[in-house]
Amino acid sequence: MRAVGVIVEYNPFHNGHAFHLQASREAAQADVVIAVMSGNFLQRGEPALVSKWQRTKMAILNGVDIVFELPYRYATQNAETFANGAVSILAAAGCQYLCFGSESGEIEAFQQTIHFLESQQDSHEKNIKHFMGSGVSYPKALALSYKQLSNSENYLDLSRPNNILGFHYIKAIHEQRSQITPLTVARKIADYHDEHFASETIASATSIRKALFSDINRPSEINQYVPEATRQLLHEYLNQHGLYHRWENYWPFLQLRLLHSSPEELKEIYEAEEGLENRLQHAATEAGSFQEFMERIKTKRYTWTRLQRLCVHILTNSKKIDMEGSKRAGYLRLLGMSERGQEYLNKMKKEFALPLVAKLSSFKDEEVNLDLKAARVYAMGVPGPAKKILMEQEFKQPPIIIKK
Amino acid sequence: MRAVGVIVEYNPFHNGHAFHLQASREAAQADVVIAVMSGNFLQRGEPALVSKWQRTKMAILNGVDIVFELPYRYATQNAETFANGAVSILAAAGCQYLCFGSESGEIEAFQQTIHFLESQQDSHEKNIKHFMGSGVSYPKALALSYKQLSNSENYLDLSRPNNILGFHYIKAIHEQRSQITPLTVARKIADYHDEHFASETIASATSIRKALFSDINRPSEINQYVPEATRQLLHEYLNQHGLYHRWENYWPFLQLRLLHSSPEELKEIYEAEEGLENRLQHAATEAGSFQEFMERIKTKRYTWTRLQRLCVHILTNSKKIDMEGSKRAGYLRLLGMSERGQEYLNKMKKEFALPLVAKLSSFKDEEVNLDLKAARVYAMGVPGPAKKILMEQEFKQPPIIIKK
C-alpha cells in the first residue's frame, strides 16, 4: 500500500487543510494518508483550541487515515526540531512520500536551496552569528544571511513561514538519510491574488480562532471556512468543556510558577537562557493577563513564538535535561484511524521501525512521560468535573476508530 | 515602659481574643501590648481568611499597640518552631512578659512539666520513638509518652492544643535564656461549663470561619462573637477582594504543582519525607477539590495540620534548604501600631536586639524573601485586579498607624 505523510496541527481543521489533504493524496497517488499531528501544545507555543482527541476526530472525518501524535519533545520546538521529529515518525511508519503545503509550491526550489546552503555552510554560519550579534532573532538572522548569500531568483523565499517548515522537512529527510520523497503543493490562502472561490472559503487557522474567541456564541461566523465535521466537533467540545483552550486560561498557573521559583530553578527550564528568567519574573509581578505579560517580555532578540514556547515549558516544568537529546522520535503513538488506516496498520505494522503505542498504560518511556504531563497540564485549563475526565482520557482513551 | 507580648493569628479577631488582650495587659500591668502575628499563612497550614494587613487593623483597633509579623519560616511550622520564632521576636522587642491563653490557666503547671520532662529526657525521647514506630503522629507520640511518664495530677494536660503551645513558649524562653516572664490566663471557651454570658459571646475562630463560609451573604451570624471593628474590616475586605481566602482558592495551583513536578523535586520541599510525595502526586490526579485531596492523603502517621503545612510549602515552593536553619527570627517586621505603640518604638527601638523593618524595599534578607514570596502566592488566590493590588501591598504598604 502506498502511503503519503502530512505534518499537521489542525487547530482547527479548515477548508485549506481539506485542499492540502486531497492534493497530497493525488500527488502521491496514495492509498492512505498518514498525519503526524502536534498534541495538546503546538509549535507556536500555545495550547490547542481543543484536545488532540477531538482534533484527531476532525482529521479522520475529513480524510486522514492514520493520526500519530508528534510527541511534546518535538511539537513545541523550533522548525528544525519539529521537522526532525515529524519526519522520523513518517519514515518509521513506512511513508513513501511526504507532502507539505508551501508558499513556493515548487519542490525544486527547496532542493536547490538546500544544496546551495550546504555548499555555503561556513559563510552561512558566520553570517548568522554576525546578524544575531546585532540583536535580531535566530529565524531573522537565518533569513538575512540567506538573502545576502543568494542572488538567484531560483532560490526559495525563506521569509515565508511554510517555506521555512518545508525547507526543514527536506533537510531532515536528507540528514536522516530517509527514503521519503518530498512533494509540495502551493497553499491556498485568502489574499488579493486568490480567485473568488478561494477567498470565500479559505481562511487561515489564526483568523478562524480569532473569530471563535471574538464571539463564542456565534460560531456561524466560521461556517464558510471549515467543513461540517469541524463545526460539529468544535461545538461538541465547547458544550462538554465549557471553553476553547487559550493561553489566558493558563496564565495564573504560569504567573504562580514564575513568582514562587528561584532564578536558579527557572534556568533549568528548556529554552531559558541569558537572564531571560529575571525578565520573566519581573513581568509576572506586573502583568494582569498573558497578553500583557507577553508584551512586557517581548524584545527584538526573541520571536513571540520562541517566548511562548518557553512559557509552555515553564508551565509544564519541562527542563533542559528532559528535552535535549535525540533528534528522532522513539515511538508511534496512535491517536486514531479510519478503516483503511486500520487495514494499513494490520498489514504494515510488523515492518514499522518504531514501537506502535496504542495505549499509554502499556508503554513506559521518558519521552512519553512528557506527553502525559503535557496532557495533564492541558487539562488544568478546564474548570469543574470536565478537568478530571480530560486528564483521565490521556491514560484510558483507546485509539479512535471511525468507519466511514 | 512595661511591655507584654502576645502570640496570635487573629483569624479573625474575636471576643475571646479581646478578653485575652485585656487580661494580659492587666496581669502584666503593662503600658503596651506587643503582638507577634502569623502572616498570610497560618500555623495550621492554611491561608488566613483576610490579609495580614487587614488583621493588623483588627488587632490595633481592638487594643494591640504594636504588631510584628511572625515570619513565614516560623509561622507555618510545628508548635516548637513556631514558639521559638515568636519568643525570639518578643524578646528582641523588649517585652518583659509573655502572656498566653491556655486550658490550664496555671503557670506553675507549665514550669513543673518542663522541669519534670527535662529530668526524664532520655526516657521521654525513647518513648516518643517507640510510639512513632507504632505509626502514630509526633504530637500523639509526645502526649502518650508524657502520659506514661507522669502520674501526678499536678502536671499539665498536654493533649489540649493551647497547653501544648504554652508549653513550647516556656520551653523556648528557657532554651533562649530569655528574661521574659511567662504568664497565662485561662481561655474562655464556649462549652457547657461556661457561664451564660460567655457562651453567648465567645466562640472559637474555627466556628466563626465556618459560619462565614457557610453563608457569605449573612455575616450577621457572627455578630455576637466578634467586636464591631472585626465585622467592619471583614466586610470591607470581602467587598474589595470578592472573597475570604481558603484552601479551595489555591487548590488548582497545588494540583498543577504536584502534576508537573518530578518526585525528586518534591522531595526537596520542606517537610516532604518518606515517600509522601508519591502519595500526594497520585491523589492530585484523582481529587476534585482540596477537601477530597486531603481525605485521600490522610493517614494515622501524619496530623491533618502537618499535611496542610506541607501543602503550603509545596504551594510556595519552600524547600528544606530555605526553611531549615536558625531557631530565632532575624528581624522585626513592623506591620502596624497605635499611638502608644509608636511612642514605645521611638523610645525603645535603639535597644532592640534585631533590625526593625518598616518597609520591605529597604531590607534585603533571605528569610524576608520567604515572606515576600508567601505574600505573592497568597495574592494569587484572589481573582481580577485586586490580585495585583494585594501583591504590591507587600512592597509598598508602610506600617499601619491607627490613632484612637
Side-chain angles (χ1 to χ4, degrees):
Chain A
M1 287 172 92
R2 188 185 280 224
V4 62
V6 293
I7 300 170
V8 303
E9 299 206 301
Y10 293 160
N11 188 41
F13 189 102
H14 57 57
N15 293 344
H17 296 131
F19 168 81
H20 166 238
L21 266 192
Q22 185 55 29
S24 300
R25 193 185 287 274
E26 283 169 14
Q29 302 196 330
D31 302 304
V32 294
V33 180
I34 299 179
V36 53
M37 186 179 81
S38 300
N40 289 324
F41 291 96
L42 307 179
Q43 207 245 331
R44 289 168 53 86
E46 288 176 352
L49 209 53
V50 299
S51 77
K52 59 189 176 193
W53 302 105
Q54 202 76 349
R55 281 154 50 236
T56 295
K57 287 181 198 161
M58 284 180 198
I60 299 172
L61 284 170
N62 285 301
V64 171
D65 294 301
I66 297 173
V67 181
F68 291 120
E69 178 172 359
L70 182 62
Y72 181 87
R73 194 185 256 172
Y74 309 97
T76 313
Q77 289 276 17
N78 61 28
E80 186 175 353
T81 311
F82 179 88
N84 266 305
V87 164
S88 69
I89 285 176
L90 295 178
C95 291
Q96 295 94 333
Y97 296 92
L98 156 61
C99 186
F100 58 91
S102 65
E103 288 86 1
S104 152
E106 303 287 337
I107 202 71
E108 295 75 19
F110 287 90
Q111 306 279 20
Q112 281 166 13
T113 302
I114 285 175
H115 291 140
F116 171 73
L117 282 180
E118 276 172 4
S119 72
Q120 305 280 321
Q121 200 175 346
D122 288 352
S123 320
H124 190 39
E125 281 173 8
K126 218 169 116 185
N127 272 359
I128 290 173
K129 216 169 170 180
H130 165 74
F131 286 116
M132 285 189 74
S134 77
V136 304
S137 69
Y138 176 78
K140 181 92 183 167
L142 191 141
L144 284 172
S145 159
Y146 173 68
K147 200 177 169 187
Q148 197 177 72
L149 291 172
S150 70
N151 287 313
S152 162
E153 292 202 350
N154 292 334
Y155 296 136
L156 211 52
D157 180 357
L158 276 187
S159 69
R160 310 298 297 273
N162 288 279
N163 284 348
I164 294 174
L165 278 170
F167 169 82
H168 283 291
Y169 296 151
I170 299 181
K171 204 157 163 264
I173 290 173
H174 279 237
E175 287 176 4
Q176 295 180 20
R177 299 174 200 281
S178 161
Q179 299 302 312
I180 291 181
T181 304
L183 305 168
T184 188
V185 293
R187 279 165 56 90
K188 294 229 172 202
I189 39 169
D191 67 26
Y192 293 118
H193 308 297
D194 261 31
E195 54 185 312
H196 183 65
F197 179 73
S199 67
E200 291 265 302
T201 59
I202 307 282
S204 69
T206 305
S207 61
I208 292 170
R209 289 196 298 275
K210 202 175 159 192
L212 279 174
F213 282 122
S214 70
D215 189 352
I216 213 156
N217 298 315
R218 285 182 57 203
S220 60
E221 297 235 332
I222 66 160
N223 281 2
Q224 68 194 95
Y225 304 113
V226 301
E228 176 60 20
T230 296
R231 281 202 290 280
Q232 285 183 6
L233 289 164
L234 285 174
H235 182 70
E236 181 186 86
Y237 195 90
L238 184 63
N239 272 354
Q240 287 171 349
H241 300 80
L243 50 70
Y244 298 127
H245 299 247
R246 60 195 307 185
W247 247 119
E248 297 298 347
N249 306 129
Y250 301 89
W251 161 240
F253 298 112
L254 177 69
Q255 187 181 22
L256 179 74
R257 181 67 179 138
L258 289 167
L259 293 178
H260 81 181
S261 298
S262 66
E264 291 68 34
E265 285 174 292
L266 289 178
K267 264 179 210 154
E268 292 178 22
I269 299 292
Y270 184 63
E271 299 220 76
E273 58 182 43
E274 295 167 30
L276 212 47
E277 62 280 356
N278 296 319
R279 192 172 172 80
L280 265 62
Q281 285 193 302
H282 185 74
T285 64
E286 301 285 332
S289 68
F290 182 71
Q291 179 66 26
E292 192 190 331
F293 173 75
M294 283 298 296
E295 283 160 11
R296 282 177 184 269
I297 63 172
K298 183 75 187 74
T299 63
K300 211 172 68 167
R301 185 90 175 84
Y302 301 103
T303 63
W304 188 278
T305 55
R306 162 81 171 73
L307 291 171
Q308 284 201 151
R309 286 197 296 264
L310 172 57
C311 291
V312 170
H313 300 315
I314 295 170
L315 188 69
T316 57
N317 195 30
S318 299
K319 301 184 174 180
K320 293 185 171 86
I321 203 168
D322 307 317
M323 295 289 287
E324 285 164 356
S326 172
K327 282 188 165 186
R328 304 194 198 186
Y331 51 87
L332 300 171
R333 173 100 186 265
L334 181 62
L335 296 180
M337 56 198 154
S338 67
E339 273 179 296
R340 205 185 312 183
Q342 197 166 19
E343 195 189 322
Y344 177 87
L345 285 178
N346 287 338
K347 268 203 191 130
M348 304 295 291
K349 66 183 174 191
K350 280 184 200 150
E351 293 169 38
F352 284 176
L354 289 173
L356 184 67
V357 181
K359 256 185 114 173
L360 207 58
S361 50
S362 59
F363 185 69
K364 297 264 171 276
D365 178 271
E366 274 192 31
E367 199 162 290
V368 95
N369 279 344
L370 290 172
D371 301 342
L372 171 61
K373 196 166 67 167
R376 285 175 169 169
V377 171
Y378 183 75
M380 291 298 299
V382 178
K387 173 166 74 175
K388 194 178 172 186
I389 295 167
L390 195 54
M391 215 174 275
E392 288 175 345
Q393 202 176 13
E394 181 66 8
F395 243 96
K396 295 183 181 166
Q397 173 75 54
I400 289 157
I401 302 174
I402 295 176
K403 302 189 175 177
K404 282 180 283 198
Chain B
M1 287 172 92
R2 187 185 281 225
V4 63
V6 292
I7 300 169
V8 303
E9 298 205 302
Y10 293 161
N11 188 39
F13 189 102
H14 57 57
N15 292 344
H17 296 130
F19 168 80
H20 166 238
L21 268 192
Q22 185 55 30
S24 300
R25 193 185 287 274
E26 283 168 12
Q29 302 197 329
D31 302 304
V32 294
V33 179
I34 300 179
V36 53
M37 186 179 81
S38 300
N40 289 324
F41 291 96
L42 307 179
Q43 208 244 330
R44 288 168 53 86
E46 288 176 350
L49 208 54
V50 299
S51 76
K52 59 189 176 191
W53 303 105
Q54 202 75 351
R55 281 153 50 235
T56 295
K57 286 182 198 162
M58 284 179 198
I60 298 171
L61 283 169
N62 285 300
V64 171
D65 294 302
I66 297 173
V67 180
F68 291 120
E69 178 171 358
L70 182 62
Y72 180 88
R73 194 185 256 172
Y74 309 97
T76 312
Q77 288 276 17
N78 62 27
E80 186 174 355
T81 311
F82 180 88
N84 267 305
V87 165
S88 69
I89 285 176
L90 295 177
C95 292
Q96 295 95 335
Y97 297 92
L98 157 62
C99 185
F100 57 92
S102 65
E103 288 86 1
S104 152
E106 303 286 337
I107 202 72
E108 296 75 20
F110 287 89
Q111 306 280 21
Q112 282 167 11
T113 302
I114 285 174
H115 292 142
F116 171 72
L117 282 180
E118 275 172 4
S119 72
Q120 304 280 323
Q121 200 173 346
D122 288 352
S123 320
H124 190 40
E125 280 172 9
K126 217 170 117 184
N127 271 0
I128 290 173
K129 216 169 169 179
H130 165 74
F131 286 116
M132 284 188 75
S134 77
V136 305
S137 68
Y138 176 79
K140 180 91 184 168
L142 191 142
L144 284 172
S145 160
Y146 174 68
K147 200 176 169 190
Q148 196 177 72
L149 291 172
S150 69
N151 287 312
S152 162
E153 292 203 350
N154 292 334
Y155 296 136
L156 210 52
D157 180 357
L158 276 187
S159 70
R160 309 298 298 272
N162 288 279
N163 283 349
I164 294 174
L165 279 170
F167 169 81
H168 283 292
Y169 296 152
I170 299 180
K171 204 157 163 266
I173 290 173
H174 279 237
E175 287 175 6
Q176 295 180 21
R177 297 174 202 281
S178 161
Q179 299 303 312
I180 291 181
T181 304
L183 305 168
T184 188
V185 293
R187 279 165 55 90
K188 293 226 172 201
I189 39 168
D191 67 26
Y192 293 117
H193 308 297
D194 262 30
E195 53 184 310
H196 184 65
F197 181 71
S199 67
E200 290 265 303
T201 59
I202 306 281
S204 68
T206 304
S207 61
I208 292 169
R209 290 196 298 275
K210 201 175 160 193
L212 279 175
F213 283 121
S214 70
D215 189 352
I216 212 155
N217 298 313
R218 286 181 57 203
S220 60
E221 296 236 332
I222 65 160
N223 281 2
Q224 68 193 96
Y225 304 114
V226 301
E228 174 61 20
T230 296
R231 280 204 290 280
Q232 285 183 5
L233 288 164
L234 285 174
H235 183 70
E236 182 187 87
Y237 196 89
L238 184 62
N239 272 355
Q240 287 170 351
H241 300 80
L243 50 70
Y244 298 127
H245 299 247
R246 60 195 307 186
W247 247 119
E248 296 298 348
N249 307 129
Y250 301 89
W251 161 240
F253 297 111
L254 177 69
Q255 187 181 22
L256 179 74
R257 182 66 180 138
L258 288 167
L259 294 178
H260 81 181
S261 299
S262 67
E264 291 68 34
E265 286 174 291
L266 290 178
K267 264 179 209 153
E268 292 179 21
I269 298 292
Y270 185 63
E271 300 219 74
E273 58 182 42
E274 295 168 31
L276 212 45
E277 61 280 355
N278 296 320
R279 193 172 171 79
L280 266 61
Q281 285 193 303
H282 184 73
T285 64
E286 301 285 331
S289 68
F290 182 72
Q291 179 66 27
E292 193 190 330
F293 172 75
M294 283 297 296
E295 282 160 11
R296 281 176 184 270
I297 63 172
K298 183 74 187 75
T299 63
K300 210 173 69 168
R301 186 90 175 83
Y302 300 103
T303 62
W304 187 278
T305 55
R306 162 79 171 74
L307 291 171
Q308 284 202 151
R309 286 198 295 264
L310 172 58
C311 291
V312 170
H313 300 315
I314 295 170
L315 187 71
T316 57
N317 195 30
S318 299
K319 300 184 173 182
K320 293 186 170 85
I321 203 169
D322 306 318
M323 295 290 288
E324 285 164 357
S326 171
K327 281 188 166 187
R328 304 193 197 186
Y331 51 90
L332 301 171
R333 172 99 186 265
L334 181 62
L335 295 180
M337 56 197 155
S338 67
E339 273 179 295
R340 205 185 312 185
Q342 197 166 21
E343 194 189 324
Y344 177 87
L345 284 179
N346 287 338
K347 268 201 192 131
M348 303 296 290
K349 65 184 175 191
K350 280 182 200 150
E351 294 169 37
F352 283 177
L354 290 173
L356 184 67
V357 181
K359 256 186 113 173
L360 207 58
S361 50
S362 60
F363 186 69
K364 297 265 171 275
D365 179 272
E366 274 191 31
E367 198 161 292
V368 95
N369 280 344
L370 291 172
D371 301 343
L372 172 60
K373 197 166 65 168
R376 285 176 168 167
V377 171
Y378 183 74
M380 291 298 299
V382 178
K387 174 166 73 174
K388 194 178 172 186
I389 296 167
L390 196 54
M391 215 175 274
E392 288 176 345
Q393 201 176 14
E394 181 66 8
F395 243 95
K396 295 183 179 167
Q397 173 75 54
I400 288 158
I401 303 174
I402 294 176
K403 302 187 174 179
K404 283 180 283 200

mmCIF file of all heavy atoms in Angstrom, chain A residues 34-54:
data_model
loop_
_atom_site.group_PDB
_atom_site.id
_atom_site.type_symbol
_atom_site.label_atom_id
_atom_site.label_comp_id
_atom_site.label_asym_id
_atom_site.label_seq_id
_atom_site.Cartn_x
_atom_site.Cartn_y
_atom_site.Cartn_z
ATOM 1 N N ILE A 34 -1.216 9.457 6.065
ATOM 2 C CA ILE A 34 -0.814 9.368 7.479
ATOM 3 C C ILE A 34 -0.432 10.753 7.969
ATOM 4 O O ILE A 34 0.437 11.401 7.382
ATOM 5 C CB ILE A 34 0.388 8.412 7.642
ATOM 6 C CG1 ILE A 34 -0.010 7.006 7.157
ATOM 7 C CG2 ILE A 34 0.859 8.383 9.098
ATOM 8 C CD1 ILE A 34 1.114 5.979 7.256
ATOM 9 N N ALA A 35 -1.124 11.193 9.029
ATOM 10 C CA ALA A 35 -0.802 12.516 9.584
ATOM 11 C C ALA A 35 -0.009 12.355 10.868
ATOM 12 O O ALA A 35 -0.354 11.533 11.719
ATOM 13 C CB ALA A 35 -2.080 13.296 9.865
ATOM 14 N N VAL A 36 1.062 13.126 11.016
ATOM 15 C CA VAL A 36 1.675 13.270 12.324
ATOM 16 C C VAL A 36 1.244 14.650 12.833
ATOM 17 O O VAL A 36 1.434 15.669 12.156
ATOM 18 C CB VAL A 36 3.213 13.042 12.300
ATOM 19 C CG1 VAL A 36 3.902 13.900 11.268
ATOM 20 C CG2 VAL A 36 3.825 13.286 13.669
ATOM 21 N N MET A 37 0.583 14.644 13.994
ATOM 22 C CA MET A 37 -0.091 15.845 14.484
ATOM 23 C C MET A 37 0.417 16.228 15.864
ATOM 24 O O MET A 37 0.560 15.377 16.744
ATOM 25 C CB MET A 37 -1.604 15.575 14.550
ATOM 26 C CG MET A 37 -2.450 16.789 14.906
ATOM 27 S SD MET A 37 -4.228 16.402 14.943
ATOM 28 C CE MET A 37 -4.327 15.657 16.586
ATOM 29 N N SER A 38 0.701 17.523 16.058
ATOM 30 C CA SER A 38 1.080 18.008 17.386
ATOM 31 C C SER A 38 0.005 17.629 18.390
ATOM 32 O O SER A 38 -1.178 17.617 18.069
ATOM 33 C CB SER A 38 1.195 19.531 17.389
ATOM 34 O OG SER A 38 2.166 19.953 16.479
ATOM 35 N N GLY A 39 0.422 17.350 19.626
ATOM 36 C CA GLY A 39 -0.533 17.006 20.685
ATOM 37 C C GLY A 39 -1.266 18.236 21.203
ATOM 38 O O GLY A 39 -1.764 19.039 20.408
ATOM 39 N N ASN A 40 -1.306 18.403 22.507
ATOM 40 C CA ASN A 40 -2.118 19.467 23.091
ATOM 41 C C ASN A 40 -1.440 20.835 23.073
ATOM 42 O O ASN A 40 -2.113 21.847 23.188
ATOM 43 C CB ASN A 40 -2.506 19.093 24.522
ATOM 44 C CG ASN A 40 -3.524 17.968 24.554
ATOM 45 O OD1 ASN A 40 -4.394 17.893 23.687
ATOM 46 N ND2 ASN A 40 -3.407 17.085 25.533
ATOM 47 N N PHE A 41 -0.125 20.853 22.969
ATOM 48 C CA PHE A 41 0.576 22.135 22.844
ATOM 49 C C PHE A 41 1.262 22.195 21.487
ATOM 50 O O PHE A 41 1.792 21.186 21.003
ATOM 51 C CB PHE A 41 1.578 22.323 23.984
ATOM 52 C CG PHE A 41 0.917 22.535 25.307
ATOM 53 C CD1 PHE A 41 0.723 21.467 26.180
ATOM 54 C CD2 PHE A 41 0.452 23.796 25.676
ATOM 55 C CE1 PHE A 41 0.090 21.659 27.414
ATOM 56 C CE2 PHE A 41 -0.178 23.989 26.906
ATOM 57 C CZ PHE A 41 -0.362 22.914 27.770
ATOM 58 N N LEU A 42 1.254 23.365 20.880
ATOM 59 C CA LEU A 42 1.585 23.489 19.468
ATOM 60 C C LEU A 42 2.930 24.166 19.235
ATOM 61 O O LEU A 42 3.543 24.691 20.167
ATOM 62 C CB LEU A 42 0.479 24.277 18.769
ATOM 63 C CG LEU A 42 -0.930 23.719 19.003
ATOM 64 C CD1 LEU A 42 -1.964 24.567 18.297
ATOM 65 C CD2 LEU A 42 -1.018 22.265 18.561
ATOM 66 N N GLN A 43 3.330 24.156 17.964
ATOM 67 C CA GLN A 43 4.639 24.680 17.622
ATOM 68 C C GLN A 43 4.787 26.164 17.942
ATOM 69 O O GLN A 43 5.860 26.622 18.286
ATOM 70 C CB GLN A 43 4.915 24.429 16.125
ATOM 71 C CG GLN A 43 6.400 24.323 15.784
ATOM 72 C CD GLN A 43 6.873 25.441 14.875
ATOM 73 O OE1 GLN A 43 6.105 25.971 14.078
ATOM 74 N NE2 GLN A 43 8.129 25.801 14.988
ATOM 75 N N ARG A 44 3.685 26.906 17.864
ATOM 76 C CA ARG A 44 3.723 28.333 18.208
ATOM 77 C C ARG A 44 3.808 28.577 19.718
ATOM 78 O O ARG A 44 3.761 29.724 20.158
ATOM 79 C CB ARG A 44 2.468 29.033 17.693
ATOM 80 C CG ARG A 44 2.379 29.201 16.196
ATOM 81 C CD ARG A 44 0.968 29.632 15.792
ATOM 82 N NE ARG A 44 0.534 30.813 16.527
ATOM 83 C CZ ARG A 44 0.792 32.068 16.158
ATOM 84 N NH1 ARG A 44 1.490 32.302 15.080
ATOM 85 N NH2 ARG A 44 0.347 33.075 16.881
ATOM 86 N N GLY A 45 3.850 27.502 20.510
ATOM 87 C CA GLY A 45 3.895 27.686 21.958
ATOM 88 C C GLY A 45 2.546 28.068 22.530
ATOM 89 O O GLY A 45 2.457 28.952 23.391
ATOM 90 N N GLU A 46 1.510 27.403 22.041
ATOM 91 C CA GLU A 46 0.149 27.694 22.503
ATOM 92 C C GLU A 46 -0.579 26.399 22.804
ATOM 93 O O GLU A 46 -0.295 25.374 22.180
ATOM 94 C CB GLU A 46 -0.649 28.419 21.404
ATOM 95 C CG GLU A 46 -0.220 29.827 21.179
ATOM 96 C CD GLU A 46 -0.946 30.503 20.017
ATOM 97 O OE1 GLU A 46 -1.682 29.795 19.284
ATOM 98 O OE2 GLU A 46 -0.765 31.697 19.849
ATOM 99 N N PRO A 47 -1.547 26.444 23.730
ATOM 100 C CA PRO A 47 -2.420 25.279 23.874
ATOM 101 C C PRO A 47 -3.327 25.184 22.648
ATOM 102 O O PRO A 47 -3.741 26.209 22.098
ATOM 103 C CB PRO A 47 -3.248 25.612 25.123
ATOM 104 C CG PRO A 47 -3.231 27.101 25.224
ATOM 105 C CD PRO A 47 -1.914 27.553 24.633
ATOM 106 N N ALA A 48 -3.597 23.960 22.191
ATOM 107 C CA ALA A 48 -4.535 23.799 21.078
ATOM 108 C C ALA A 48 -5.943 24.165 21.543
ATOM 109 O O ALA A 48 -6.297 23.960 22.699
ATOM 110 C CB ALA A 48 -4.495 22.366 20.565
ATOM 111 N N LEU A 49 -6.702 24.698 20.619
ATOM 112 C CA LEU A 49 -8.104 25.110 20.840
ATOM 113 C C LEU A 49 -8.897 24.009 21.531
ATOM 114 O O LEU A 49 -9.639 24.253 22.488
ATOM 115 C CB LEU A 49 -8.672 25.355 19.447
ATOM 116 C CG LEU A 49 -9.773 26.325 19.160
ATOM 117 C CD1 LEU A 49 -9.451 27.696 19.702
ATOM 118 C CD2 LEU A 49 -9.979 26.403 17.636
ATOM 119 N N VAL A 50 -8.781 22.785 20.998
ATOM 120 C CA VAL A 50 -9.466 21.620 21.568
ATOM 121 C C VAL A 50 -8.439 20.486 21.638
ATOM 122 O O VAL A 50 -7.392 20.543 21.000
ATOM 123 C CB VAL A 50 -10.701 21.187 20.731
ATOM 124 C CG1 VAL A 50 -11.739 22.304 20.673
ATOM 125 C CG2 VAL A 50 -10.289 20.787 19.313
ATOM 126 N N SER A 51 -8.767 19.464 22.411
ATOM 127 C CA SER A 51 -7.790 18.416 22.715
ATOM 128 C C SER A 51 -7.332 17.666 21.469
ATOM 129 O O SER A 51 -7.987 17.680 20.432
ATOM 130 C CB SER A 51 -8.395 17.414 23.696
ATOM 131 O OG SER A 51 -9.287 16.563 23.013
ATOM 132 N N LYS A 52 -6.240 16.946 21.596
ATOM 133 C CA LYS A 52 -5.721 16.170 20.463
ATOM 134 C C LYS A 52 -6.701 15.097 20.026
ATOM 135 O O LYS A 52 -6.731 14.720 18.856
ATOM 136 C CB LYS A 52 -4.370 15.560 20.816
ATOM 137 C CG LYS A 52 -4.377 14.635 22.011
ATOM 138 C CD LYS A 52 -2.944 14.263 22.393
ATOM 139 C CE LYS A 52 -2.899 13.416 23.637
ATOM 140 N NZ LYS A 52 -1.533 13.317 24.178
ATOM 141 N N TRP A 53 -7.541 14.621 20.962
ATOM 142 C CA TRP A 53 -8.513 13.576 20.603
ATOM 143 C C TRP A 53 -9.600 14.154 19.695
ATOM 144 O O TRP A 53 -9.991 13.533 18.704
ATOM 145 C CB TRP A 53 -9.137 12.983 21.872
ATOM 146 C CG TRP A 53 -8.100 12.424 22.786
ATOM 147 C CD1 TRP A 53 -7.652 12.975 23.951
ATOM 148 C CD2 TRP A 53 -7.324 11.229 22.575
ATOM 149 N NE1 TRP A 53 -6.664 12.186 24.493
ATOM 150 C CE2 TRP A 53 -6.436 11.109 23.678
ATOM 151 C CE3 TRP A 53 -7.302 10.254 21.584
ATOM 152 C CZ2 TRP A 53 -5.536 10.055 23.804
ATOM 153 C CZ3 TRP A 53 -6.410 9.203 21.708
ATOM 154 C CH2 TRP A 53 -5.540 9.107 22.799
ATOM 155 N N GLN A 54 -10.055 15.339 20.036
ATOM 156 C CA GLN A 54 -11.097 15.966 19.221
ATOM 157 C C GLN A 54 -10.521 16.346 17.849
ATOM 158 O O GLN A 54 -11.195 16.204 16.836
ATOM 159 C CB GLN A 54 -11.627 17.201 19.973
ATOM 160 C CG GLN A 54 -13.013 17.653 19.545
ATOM 161 C CD GLN A 54 -14.110 16.747 20.094
ATOM 162 O OE1 GLN A 54 -13.863 15.663 20.637
ATOM 163 N NE2 GLN A 54 -15.346 17.185 19.922
#
